[in-house]
Amino acid sequence: MRTSSLSIREKAILIFASVHLLYLGLGALPVPWRDGLHISPAHRFYERITRCHQVWNMFETIPNMNRLEARLVVTDAKGKLREEGMVLPGLKKFSQHDQVRLNNWMVNVIFNPSRGVFREAYMKDAATALLSSGRYGPRSQLRLEAIPAYTRSLLGVRTLKEIAVEKPSVLGPFELGALVSKNSPTLAP
């Protein structure tokens, strides 16, 4: 029994599906491996034109956290610095038991360049909570500091004589009034 040949439309769909499947397969590889392949420029070009950026961390180890400090630092009109908690509602300090969850939230949401909507919403809510407390005026400056300390490997501890290395990230400073207003500035990390 003879099967009918594929139409031009079916061939185009089959080619696109095959290329996209190859793209997804390459996206699951660790980035250093993928960047070493000869087809990585084609992979980046396809990613750019289709806007299908994939972030797969399946081959990366979970960060071994030694400690994490995360805080909102507010500079009032007199120049005095005050540390506030960062967990909404009420800007409580985060639980030390949730350091890895908080770090993943910071890295994947707050400091990720492609997640500006969530970053702006968090900073606006934090500024609103700080203004409603009555301790700060709209001209006060706010910045978010995240200071994770990742445990060194045993070799790193022996050679560098340090247990953990800090990798700080800072977002801000921004005026509280500007964050709360409808025309808030774009928050870039």
Side-chain angles (χ1 to χ4, degrees):
M1 182 171 173
R2 186 174 171 155
T3 61
S4 62
S5 64
L6 297 174
S7 69
I8 294 174
R9 180 175 175 252
E10 291 170 331
K11 287 178 185 177
I13 290 171
L14 184 62
I15 289 170
F16 175 75
S18 300
V19 168
H20 195 69
L21 184 61
L22 177 66
Y23 164 76
L24 291 175
L26 289 172
L29 292 176
V31 175
W33 291 3
R34 185 177 64 223
D35 288 345
L37 297 174
H38 293 293
I39 61 171
S40 66
H43 182 268
R44 285 192 293 273
F45 176 73
Y46 183 81
E47 185 175 65
R48 212 172 30 251
I49 63 169
T50 60
R51 298 181 183 181
C52 294
H53 180 66
Q54 299 288 317
V55 179
W56 292 30
N57 297 329
M58 65 180 6
F59 294 106
E60 295 179 17
T61 59
I62 296 171
N64 191 357
M65 298 292 296
N66 182 283
R67 68 185 180 283
L68 174 67
E69 295 176 41
R71 59 187 173 255
L72 291 167
V73 178
V74 184
T75 308
D76 62 14
K78 297 175 186 173
K80 183 179 177 186
L81 296 175
R82 291 181 67 183
E83 289 184 15
E84 298 286 343
M86 58 161 298
V87 181
L88 293 171
L91 297 174
K92 304 173 294 226
K93 291 203 177 269
F94 66 92
S95 168
Q96 292 294 323
H97 300 291
D98 293 334
Q99 288 187 19
V100 173
R101 287 184 60 204
L102 181 67
N103 180 59
N104 289 337
W105 176 67
M106 288 281 195
V107 170
N108 294 323
V109 177
I110 298 298
F111 289 100
N112 186 332
S114 66
R115 305 278 168 83
V117 174
F118 301 112
R119 179 174 43 255
E120 289 179 19
Y122 171 77
M123 293 300 283
K124 184 176 182 177
D125 289 347
T128 303
L130 289 166
L131 282 175
S132 65
S133 71
R135 293 184 304 223
Y136 306 105
R139 303 285 295 172
S140 298
Q141 299 282 318
L142 170 68
R143 73 177 185 264
L144 173 63
E145 296 179 350
I147 308 167
Y150 297 102
T151 304
R152 288 255 187 222
S153 66
L154 188 57
L155 181 64
V157 171
R158 285 182 190 153
T159 58
L160 300 173
K161 305 294 187 224
E162 62 184 4
I163 294 175
V165 61
E166 291 183 351
K167 296 184 179 180
S169 299
V170 178
L171 183 64
F174 305 103
E175 282 190 359
L176 292 179
L179 287 172
V180 173
S181 73
K182 290 182 181 177
N183 300 323
S184 62
T186 302
L187 305 176

